[in-house]
Amino acid sequence: MVINETARLEILLPDKSEYQNISENDIINNSLSVSSKCMDESSFSLGGVYSAQLSVKIRLQNTNTYKVTGAKIKVYSQYAGQSEILRGIFWVTSVSRKNDIYTISASDSLVWLDSTSYDDRRKGTGKNIIFEKLQKNLMENIVPLPYCLAKVLEVANLI
């Protein structure tokens, strides 16, 4: 029995111009991979978290590596006869280009929780913008902070 799976990407560039329907035809040599793990392969530790990683080679036109760096990528998959499933939302952390072929590495929104990422230095406040947004949401909904990882990821994806 063969199960046919197809993939589609939506890329929102930082300048808010969107590439819709990056399909199987634009993914080079079946290169799309998403890896998720809970710990390093060489050791065991409690309480650690690793962000999911996306790796893909795709064909894009009318852009450049600077415009793609920092882009938001939504990954969808679909099995024959089934509805399309959102597999994850990723943020481009590195990109290289040769002609119209881009090699992209991206991490899920958990990367925004790193202390070097969420300090809002653009406004010079030095505040934790994710915590502030969560705190506002939590105060309105009266939800305890320890039970909010889904909300953390939702807020981080909106940034």
Side-chain angles (χ1 to χ4, degrees):
M1 182 167 134
V2 175
I3 299 175
N4 186 27
E5 179 183 19
T6 58
R8 181 176 69 84
L9 307 176
E10 286 182 4
I11 300 177
L12 179 62
L13 300 177
D15 67 358
K16 305 299 185 203
S17 60
E18 192 167 346
Y19 282 91
Q20 289 283 341
N21 298 322
I22 303 298
S23 67
E24 293 281 325
N25 298 332
D26 296 315
I27 298 172
I28 308 300
N29 294 332
N30 203 19
S31 64
L32 177 65
S33 72
V34 175
S35 66
S36 299
K37 59 183 181 178
C38 61
M39 68 182 90
D40 187 20
E41 286 112 14
S42 63
S43 65
F44 177 78
S45 61
L46 296 175
V49 177
Y50 285 86
S51 62
Q53 301 293 313
L54 167 74
S55 177
V56 67
K57 282 186 181 182
I58 57 175
R59 185 175 292 108
L60 287 176
Q61 297 176 349
N62 304 321
T63 191
N64 60 50
T65 56
Y66 298 106
K67 289 182 181 178
V68 175
T69 302
K72 183 180 187 178
I73 299 177
K74 292 182 179 181
V75 179
Y76 296 91
S77 68
Q78 183 176 21
Y79 298 100
Q82 300 295 317
S83 300
E84 193 173 64
I85 300 167
L86 176 64
R87 299 296 299 264
I89 300 173
F90 299 88
W91 299 88
V92 175
T93 54
S94 79
V95 60
S96 62
R97 171 186 174 198
K98 183 167 181 160
N99 298 324
D100 286 342
I101 307 299
Y102 289 78
T103 302
I104 295 174
S105 295
S107 297
D108 68 7
S109 58
L110 201 58
V111 74
W112 292 112
L113 297 179
D114 181 21
S115 62
T116 60
S117 299
Y118 60 70
D119 187 18
D120 191 0
R121 293 185 183 98
R122 295 168 295 177
K123 298 177 185 172
T125 62
K127 293 182 180 176
N128 180 332
I129 57 175
I130 291 180
F131 178 77
E132 287 181 355
K133 288 183 180 186
L134 277 174
Q135 187 176 32
K136 180 182 177 206
N137 288 339
L138 294 172
M139 294 302 271
E140 292 171 0
N141 298 326
I142 311 171
V143 178
L145 191 57
Y147 302 103
C148 301
L149 184 56
K151 196 69 168 176
V152 169
L153 295 175
E154 177 184 324
V155 170
N157 277 326
L158 295 175
I159 293 175

